Amino acid sequence: MGASYLDNKQYAVKYADIVIQSYHPVKHITTGEGGAILTNNSEIDDKVRRLRTHGITRDPAQMEKNDGPWYYEMQDLGYNYRITDFQCVLGSSQLEKLDRFVLERRKIAKSYDELFSGFDILTVPKTNSSIDHAYHLYPLQIDFEKLFLTKAAFFHKMKQVGINLQVHYIPVHLQPFYIRNYRFKSGYCNIAESFYDRVVSIPLYPSLTDAESEKVVAHITKFIESK
Ligand SMILES: *Cc1c(COP(=O)(O)O)cnc(C)c1O
């Protein structure tokens, strides 16, 4: 959210029939939980709105008959996926802050890019001039083989100095569900798997202070230089 491609923020629905967004607390804006579906296709829009409310429509134009002002029709087997009003209040106020949140994220990412790019065992997230990245994450790739260190040991070391790393994501085809049901195994998606071997997500969120991001850089670079 907030990213642009060729200076256009509305790029996503240009290339996709449906765009889904998550408003989980770690995302650019939050409603506590939940998300949204964006589409320019009115048929999909109607269907999603019906599914959200028990498969029910109150739009006379979509009903097979009309018994009166109270009348509605259940046309699909739907769900109760309505967001609460309380969450909407939070979402509306978050939306006003989106531009600032994105700027903060870009500022932190830029300083990470500059400070990490001098190390040949590190690969910073790739971008180019047609993209204004929104930096939901900052996936830093580390060549752990050259470091003679496992990723788990690196996590542990960073945790000891108060830096909480994450990994986005574990390749989905290696999850037990997919292995059991689709017989995937390692080697099936080499590029995703080697990315997984190298990637760590380092802290990146709007309220991260300069001192905190400098601490992240200092600990990671100090640790790498000491190896
Ligand atoms: C946040 C996120 C999800 C999960 O979204 P939910 O709203 O929790 O369902 C899945 N994939 C990516 C890439 C995400 O960033």
Side-chain angles (χ1 to χ4, degrees):
M1 224 183 164
S4 62
Y5 176 57
L6 300 173
D7 283 330
N8 180 1
K9 273 189 201 163
Q10 296 172 333
Y11 66 92
V13 277
K14 223 165 119 177
Y15 301 106
D17 296 317
I18 302 177
V19 175
I20 54 174
Q21 299 188 325
S22 168
Y23 302 146
H24 180 272
V26 302
K27 310 304 168 135
H28 280 54
I29 64 165
T30 185
T31 54
E33 261 291 359
I37 290 176
L38 315 183
T39 182
N40 283 329
N41 177 318
S42 60
E43 245 171 75
I44 295 173
D45 184 49
D46 287 343
K47 175 133 198 173
V48 168
R49 285 172 193 275
R50 270 200 311 278
L51 290 174
R52 173 175 67 185
T53 313
H54 315 291
I56 285 174
T57 182
R58 290 177 178 274
D59 175 5
Q62 290 180 30
M63 299 191 310
E64 293 184 13
K65 58 176 190 144
N66 194 344
D67 290 351
W70 66 88
Y71 190 68
Y72 57 83
E73 277 182 359
M74 180 200 154
Q75 298 186 335
D76 284 305
L77 190 57
Y79 309 89
N80 179 345
Y81 282 175
R82 292 184 304 269
I83 192 171
T84 65
D85 289 356
F86 303 110
Q87 289 173 283
C88 292
V89 174
L90 175 58
S92 300
S93 87
Q94 286 269 293
L95 198 53
E96 284 171 21
K97 299 175 185 166
L98 176 64
D99 290 347
R100 176 162 66 78
F101 288 161
V102 172
L103 287 179
E104 294 287 341
R105 287 173 179 270
R106 284 192 185 134
K107 204 181 100 204
I108 298 164
K110 190 163 174 244
S111 82
Y112 280 158
D113 281 351
E114 285 165 7
L115 295 161
F116 287 131
S117 55
F119 294 83
D120 61 351
I121 65 160
L122 299 179
T123 308
V124 301
K126 218 188 208 165
T127 181
N128 68 49
S129 57
S130 8
I131 299 166
D132 280 313
H133 208 307
Y135 292 101
H136 161 45
L137 301 168
Y138 193 93
L140 180 66
Q141 294 179 65
I142 304 178
D143 190 336
F144 289 104
E145 273 173 33
K146 280 207 188 128
L147 259 191
F148 297 108
L149 187 76
T150 66
K151 183 147 126 178
F154 183 70
F155 257 60
H156 186 63
K157 285 277 176 214
M158 290 301 120
K159 183 101 196 171
Q160 281 178 334
V161 293
I163 297 171
N164 213 7
L165 302 173
Q166 307 233 36
V167 172
H168 298 93
Y169 287 88
I170 303 167
V172 75
H173 68 286
L174 300 180
Q175 293 289 350
F177 173 84
Y178 290 98
I179 292 176
R180 264 201 310 271
N181 291 288
Y182 300 95
R183 295 166 189 265
F184 291 148
K185 41 184 167 223
S186 49
Y188 188 86
C189 297
N190 276 320
I191 295 173
E193 289 167 29
S194 68
F195 180 79
Y196 174 57
D197 289 339
R198 293 188 310 264
V199 76
V200 300
S201 292
I202 62 176
L204 178 77
Y205 43 87
S207 61
L208 191 75
T209 63
D210 288 350
E212 286 167 333
S213 68
E214 281 159 19
K215 178 181 163 182
V216 171
V217 172
H219 279 293
I220 293 179
T221 54
K222 199 175 90 191
F223 186 69
I224 286 169
E225 281 165 341
S226 75
K227 292 297 284 186

mmCIF file of all heavy atoms in Angstrom, residues 144 147-160 165 223 227:
data_model
loop_
_atom_site.group_PDB
_atom_site.id
_atom_site.type_symbol
_atom_site.label_atom_id
_atom_site.label_comp_id
_atom_site.label_asym_id
_atom_site.label_seq_id
_atom_site.Cartn_x
_atom_site.Cartn_y
_atom_site.Cartn_z
ATOM 1 N N PHE A 144 25.089 -16.745 4.474
ATOM 2 C CA PHE A 144 25.509 -17.390 5.731
ATOM 3 C C PHE A 144 26.634 -18.396 5.518
ATOM 4 O O PHE A 144 27.423 -18.655 6.423
ATOM 5 C CB PHE A 144 24.310 -18.061 6.423
ATOM 6 C CG PHE A 144 23.354 -17.062 7.006
ATOM 7 C CD1 PHE A 144 22.153 -16.795 6.383
ATOM 8 C CD2 PHE A 144 23.674 -16.373 8.161
ATOM 9 C CE1 PHE A 144 21.274 -15.855 6.902
ATOM 10 C CE2 PHE A 144 22.804 -15.427 8.703
ATOM 11 C CZ PHE A 144 21.604 -15.162 8.064
ATOM 12 N N LEU A 147 29.709 -16.635 5.804
ATOM 13 C CA LEU A 147 29.891 -16.198 7.195
ATOM 14 C C LEU A 147 30.291 -17.354 8.119
ATOM 15 O O LEU A 147 30.645 -17.139 9.264
ATOM 16 C CB LEU A 147 28.577 -15.614 7.722
ATOM 17 C CG LEU A 147 28.362 -14.114 7.800
ATOM 18 C CD1 LEU A 147 27.106 -13.823 8.591
ATOM 19 C CD2 LEU A 147 29.546 -13.396 8.429
ATOM 20 N N PHE A 148 30.210 -18.584 7.595
ATOM 21 C CA PHE A 148 30.432 -19.796 8.401
ATOM 22 C C PHE A 148 29.555 -19.796 9.653
ATOM 23 O O PHE A 148 30.013 -19.979 10.774
ATOM 24 C CB PHE A 148 31.911 -19.954 8.793
ATOM 25 C CG PHE A 148 32.799 -20.132 7.608
ATOM 26 C CD1 PHE A 148 33.645 -19.120 7.195
ATOM 27 C CD2 PHE A 148 32.776 -21.319 6.875
ATOM 28 C CE1 PHE A 148 34.455 -19.279 6.079
ATOM 29 C CE2 PHE A 148 33.583 -21.482 5.764
ATOM 30 C CZ PHE A 148 34.429 -20.459 5.365
ATOM 31 N N LEU A 149 28.277 -19.540 9.410
ATOM 32 C CA LEU A 149 27.351 -19.390 10.529
ATOM 33 C C LEU A 149 25.974 -19.831 10.054
ATOM 34 O O LEU A 149 25.634 -19.629 8.892
ATOM 35 C CB LEU A 149 27.309 -17.890 10.883
ATOM 36 C CG LEU A 149 26.541 -17.471 12.114
ATOM 37 C CD1 LEU A 149 27.368 -17.808 13.340
ATOM 38 C CD2 LEU A 149 26.293 -15.973 12.078
ATOM 39 N N THR A 150 25.193 -20.431 10.953
ATOM 40 C CA THR A 150 23.822 -20.746 10.537
ATOM 41 C C THR A 150 22.936 -19.522 10.782
ATOM 42 O O THR A 150 23.252 -18.660 11.601
ATOM 43 C CB THR A 150 23.237 -21.933 11.332
ATOM 44 O OG1 THR A 150 23.111 -21.530 12.702
ATOM 45 C CG2 THR A 150 24.107 -23.177 11.211
ATOM 46 N N LYS A 151 21.835 -19.522 10.042
ATOM 47 C CA LYS A 151 20.885 -18.436 10.233
ATOM 48 C C LYS A 151 20.344 -18.444 11.665
ATOM 49 O O LYS A 151 20.155 -17.395 12.278
ATOM 50 C CB LYS A 151 19.755 -18.621 9.216
ATOM 51 C CG LYS A 151 18.723 -17.571 9.215
ATOM 52 C CD LYS A 151 18.206 -17.399 7.798
ATOM 53 C CE LYS A 151 16.724 -17.513 7.710
ATOM 54 N NZ LYS A 151 16.249 -17.290 6.324
ATOM 55 N N ALA A 152 20.129 -19.648 12.200
ATOM 56 C CA ALA A 152 19.594 -19.758 13.562
ATOM 57 C C ALA A 152 20.566 -19.147 14.575
ATOM 58 O O ALA A 152 20.156 -18.440 15.508
ATOM 59 C CB ALA A 152 19.308 -21.216 13.897
ATOM 60 N N ALA A 153 21.880 -19.381 14.381
ATOM 61 C CA ALA A 153 22.872 -18.823 15.302
ATOM 62 C C ALA A 153 22.893 -17.296 15.198
ATOM 63 O O ALA A 153 23.022 -16.592 16.212
ATOM 64 C CB ALA A 153 24.258 -19.399 15.000
ATOM 65 N N PHE A 154 22.753 -16.805 13.973
ATOM 66 C CA PHE A 154 22.715 -15.351 13.765
ATOM 67 C C PHE A 154 21.496 -14.735 14.476
ATOM 68 O O PHE A 154 21.605 -13.713 15.155
ATOM 69 C CB PHE A 154 22.676 -15.058 12.261
ATOM 70 C CG PHE A 154 22.707 -13.601 11.925
ATOM 71 C CD1 PHE A 154 23.859 -12.846 12.129
ATOM 72 C CD2 PHE A 154 21.587 -12.971 11.399
ATOM 73 C CE1 PHE A 154 23.898 -11.497 11.811
ATOM 74 C CE2 PHE A 154 21.614 -11.617 11.085
ATOM 75 C CZ PHE A 154 22.765 -10.876 11.288
ATOM 76 N N PHE A 155 20.343 -15.391 14.338
ATOM 77 C CA PHE A 155 19.131 -14.936 15.032
ATOM 78 C C PHE A 155 19.383 -14.830 16.525
ATOM 79 O O PHE A 155 19.007 -13.863 17.174
ATOM 80 C CB PHE A 155 17.993 -15.940 14.793
ATOM 81 C CG PHE A 155 16.991 -15.473 13.781
ATOM 82 C CD1 PHE A 155 17.380 -15.196 12.487
ATOM 83 C CD2 PHE A 155 15.651 -15.333 14.118
ATOM 84 C CE1 PHE A 155 16.456 -14.773 11.549
ATOM 85 C CE2 PHE A 155 14.720 -14.903 13.194
ATOM 86 C CZ PHE A 155 15.125 -14.620 11.901
ATOM 87 N N HIS A 156 19.998 -15.876 17.047
ATOM 88 C CA HIS A 156 20.246 -15.959 18.476
ATOM 89 C C HIS A 156 21.157 -14.814 18.936
ATOM 90 O O HIS A 156 20.880 -14.138 19.926
ATOM 91 C CB HIS A 156 20.870 -17.321 18.782
ATOM 92 C CG HIS A 156 21.033 -17.576 20.246
ATOM 93 N ND1 HIS A 156 19.961 -17.660 21.111
ATOM 94 C CD2 HIS A 156 22.146 -17.713 21.003
ATOM 95 C CE1 HIS A 156 20.403 -17.852 22.331
ATOM 96 N NE2 HIS A 156 21.730 -17.882 22.298
ATOM 97 N N LYS A 157 22.229 -14.592 18.188
ATOM 98 C CA LYS A 157 23.180 -13.516 18.517
ATOM 99 C C LYS A 157 22.473 -12.161 18.534
ATOM 100 O O LYS A 157 22.710 -11.340 19.420
ATOM 101 C CB LYS A 157 24.303 -13.456 17.461
ATOM 102 C CG LYS A 157 25.312 -14.571 17.600
ATOM 103 C CD LYS A 157 26.343 -14.196 18.658
ATOM 104 C CE LYS A 157 27.309 -15.353 18.887
ATOM 105 N NZ LYS A 157 27.749 -15.444 20.268
ATOM 106 N N MET A 158 21.658 -11.927 17.514
ATOM 107 C CA MET A 158 20.979 -10.627 17.422
ATOM 108 C C MET A 158 19.954 -10.461 18.550
ATOM 109 O O MET A 158 19.805 -9.400 19.120
ATOM 110 C CB MET A 158 20.310 -10.458 16.046
ATOM 111 C CG MET A 158 21.288 -10.287 14.908
ATOM 112 S SD MET A 158 22.366 -8.839 15.133
ATOM 113 C CE MET A 158 23.968 -9.602 15.144
ATOM 114 N N LYS A 159 19.292 -11.558 18.875
ATOM 115 C CA LYS A 159 18.319 -11.526 19.971
ATOM 116 C C LYS A 159 18.997 -11.122 21.285
ATOM 117 O O LYS A 159 18.451 -10.357 22.078
ATOM 118 C CB LYS A 159 17.669 -12.918 20.096
ATOM 119 C CG LYS A 159 16.603 -13.016 21.146
ATOM 120 C CD LYS A 159 15.238 -12.937 20.517
ATOM 121 C CE LYS A 159 14.201 -12.638 21.580
ATOM 122 N NZ LYS A 159 12.897 -12.339 21.056
ATOM 123 N N GLN A 160 20.218 -11.631 21.463
ATOM 124 C CA GLN A 160 20.972 -11.324 22.688
ATOM 125 C C GLN A 160 21.260 -9.834 22.840
ATOM 126 O O GLN A 160 21.396 -9.330 23.950
ATOM 127 C CB GLN A 160 22.299 -12.091 22.709
ATOM 128 C CG GLN A 160 22.130 -13.542 23.126
ATOM 129 C CD GLN A 160 23.443 -14.299 23.088
ATOM 130 O OE1 GLN A 160 24.350 -13.943 22.340
ATOM 131 N NE2 GLN A 160 23.542 -15.347 23.881
ATOM 132 N N LEU A 165 14.750 -10.349 14.830
ATOM 133 C CA LEU A 165 14.665 -10.552 13.379
ATOM 134 C C LEU A 165 13.486 -11.446 13.060
ATOM 135 O O LEU A 165 12.930 -12.098 13.933
ATOM 136 C CB LEU A 165 15.963 -11.201 12.869
ATOM 137 C CG LEU A 165 17.251 -10.430 13.147
ATOM 138 C CD1 LEU A 165 18.456 -11.259 12.750
ATOM 139 C CD2 LEU A 165 17.247 -9.083 12.420
ATOM 140 N N PHE A 223 29.064 -7.501 13.708
ATOM 141 C CA PHE A 223 29.113 -8.952 13.798
ATOM 142 C C PHE A 223 29.733 -9.558 12.540
ATOM 143 O O PHE A 223 30.545 -10.472 12.604
ATOM 144 C CB PHE A 223 27.694 -9.487 14.010
ATOM 145 C CG PHE A 223 27.648 -10.947 14.260
ATOM 146 C CD1 PHE A 223 28.141 -11.467 15.447
ATOM 147 C CD2 PHE A 223 27.153 -11.823 13.305
ATOM 148 C CE1 PHE A 223 28.127 -12.817 15.676
ATOM 149 C CE2 PHE A 223 27.141 -13.170 13.533
ATOM 150 C CZ PHE A 223 27.626 -13.676 14.732
ATOM 151 N N LYS A 227 33.703 -11.653 11.856
ATOM 152 C CA LYS A 227 33.796 -13.060 11.424
ATOM 153 C C LYS A 227 34.960 -13.278 10.469
ATOM 154 O O LYS A 227 35.321 -12.425 9.696
ATOM 155 C CB LYS A 227 32.489 -13.492 10.739
ATOM 156 C CG LYS A 227 31.305 -13.564 11.691
ATOM 157 C CD LYS A 227 31.466 -14.592 12.776
ATOM 158 C CE LYS A 227 31.248 -16.003 12.235
ATOM 159 N NZ LYS A 227 31.254 -17.013 13.282
#
